[in-house]
């Protein structure tokens, strides 16, 4: 894919040992499957970390059919884990064609089943978006109406219907794409 080639160098010149993938998965069974995949990748020298948690705009606990699931505030995680990451001293591939050679590229792929409407504004307003080179996001209007419970600051948020969901999604896309102070590229599906 040309977008990945631009971000990470030509496919023939890159080495998967140079990448670190972090997957957040709320479903414990799916997380276990991903951990098995992570173990297999680890034997190849690839770094693939799995965090069994949901993503949100605040830390907490979510009730689910499988029990209680931790919720991690994505913006906070980015600011702590991505902003302060260290690039390994040994590089296996040739990344001379890479977009951001100094700090490495960061892609955030989001498929949050409706939570993108609260997570993306938090990632933008905290400044965490500046540590991400590319955001790929799914906007799930099919979940509308959506009600989000209060956070620690007491806000409650609601997506009223599919039309409102589409309007909010369009607004978020515009903010990220048009803001001169946000270097992040944005694609949605």
């Amino acid at each position: 894919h040309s977008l990945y080639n631009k971000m990470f160098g030509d496919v023939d010149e890159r080495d998967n040992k140079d990448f670190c993938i972090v997957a957040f998965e709320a479903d414990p069974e799916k997380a276990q499957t991903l951990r098995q995949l992570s173990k297999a990748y680890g034997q190849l020298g690839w770094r693939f970390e799995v965090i069994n948690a949901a993503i949100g705009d605040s830390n907490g606990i979510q009730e689910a059919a499988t029990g209680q699931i931790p919720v991690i505030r994505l913006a906070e995680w980015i600011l702590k884990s991505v902003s302060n990451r260290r690039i390994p001293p040994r590089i296996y591939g040739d990344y001379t064609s890479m977009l951001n050679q100094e700090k490495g590229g960061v892609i955030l792929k989001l498929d949050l089943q409706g939570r993108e409407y609260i997570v993306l504004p938090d990632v933008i307003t905290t400044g965490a978006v500046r540590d991400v080179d590319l955001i790929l996001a799914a906007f799930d209007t099919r979940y509308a109406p959506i009600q989000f419970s209060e956070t620690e600051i007491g806000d409650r948020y609601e997506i009223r219907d599919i039309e409102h969901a589409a309007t909010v999604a369009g607004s978020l896309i515009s903010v990220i794409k048009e803001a001169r102070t946000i270097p992040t590229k944005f694609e949605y599906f």
Side-chain angles (χ1 to χ4, degrees):
H1 190 276
S2 64
L3 190 55
Y4 286 95
N5 288 348
K6 185 176 180 183
M7 293 284 300
F8 301 115
D10 189 83
V11 68
D12 297 326
E13 298 168 352
R14 63 181 177 234
D15 188 313
N16 287 338
K17 289 182 272 189
D18 293 331
F19 299 92
C20 180
I21 308 295
V22 178
F24 292 91
E25 178 55 63
D27 183 310
E29 289 182 21
K30 289 180 183 174
Q32 184 57 37
T33 300
L34 289 173
R35 279 191 197 94
Q36 291 170 355
L37 186 60
S38 172
K39 188 175 180 179
Y41 285 160
Q43 292 174 349
L44 297 171
W46 302 359
R47 294 170 294 156
F48 179 46
E49 303 298 325
V50 179
I51 299 173
N52 186 197
I55 295 298
D57 63 342
S58 63
N59 294 312
I61 300 291
Q62 171 183 316
E63 293 294 331
T66 56
Q68 292 187 329
I69 298 169
V71 178
I72 294 175
R73 182 179 183 193
L74 182 61
E76 186 177 287
W77 185 86
I78 290 170
L79 291 168
K80 285 181 180 177
S81 301
V82 175
S83 303
N84 298 317
R85 75 190 188 284
R86 291 178 309 171
I87 303 299
R90 177 162 184 204
I91 304 295
Y92 297 90
D94 176 8
Y95 300 99
T96 52
S97 62
M98 191 171 127
L99 182 65
N100 197 341
Q101 293 179 32
E102 305 83 45
K103 69 172 189 147
V106 176
I107 293 178
L108 182 61
K109 182 183 174 288
L110 300 174
D111 189 356
L112 302 176
Q113 288 84 38
R115 284 183 177 247
E116 60 278 3
Y117 296 101
I118 57 171
V119 170
L120 278 172
D122 191 45
V123 168
I124 294 167
T125 59
T126 60
V129 69
R130 296 181 58 77
D131 291 316
V132 179
D133 298 294
L134 172 66
I135 297 175
L136 302 168
F139 284 98
D140 291 319
T141 57
R142 66 181 175 216
Y143 293 106
I146 310 167
Q147 290 189 348
F148 300 102
S149 60
E150 292 183 14
T151 65
E152 59 268 2
I153 59 172
D155 290 345
R156 183 175 176 81
Y157 188 67
E158 178 180 13
I159 298 290
R160 295 182 302 273
D161 53 36
I162 291 174
E163 186 175 308
H164 184 222
T167 299
V168 172
S171 297
L172 290 168
I173 292 166
S174 291
V175 166
I176 294 172
K177 284 190 166 192
E178 301 300 328
R180 294 184 314 157
T181 57
I182 300 175
T184 307
K185 303 294 179 226
F186 188 87
E187 300 291 329
Y188 58 96
F189 52 96

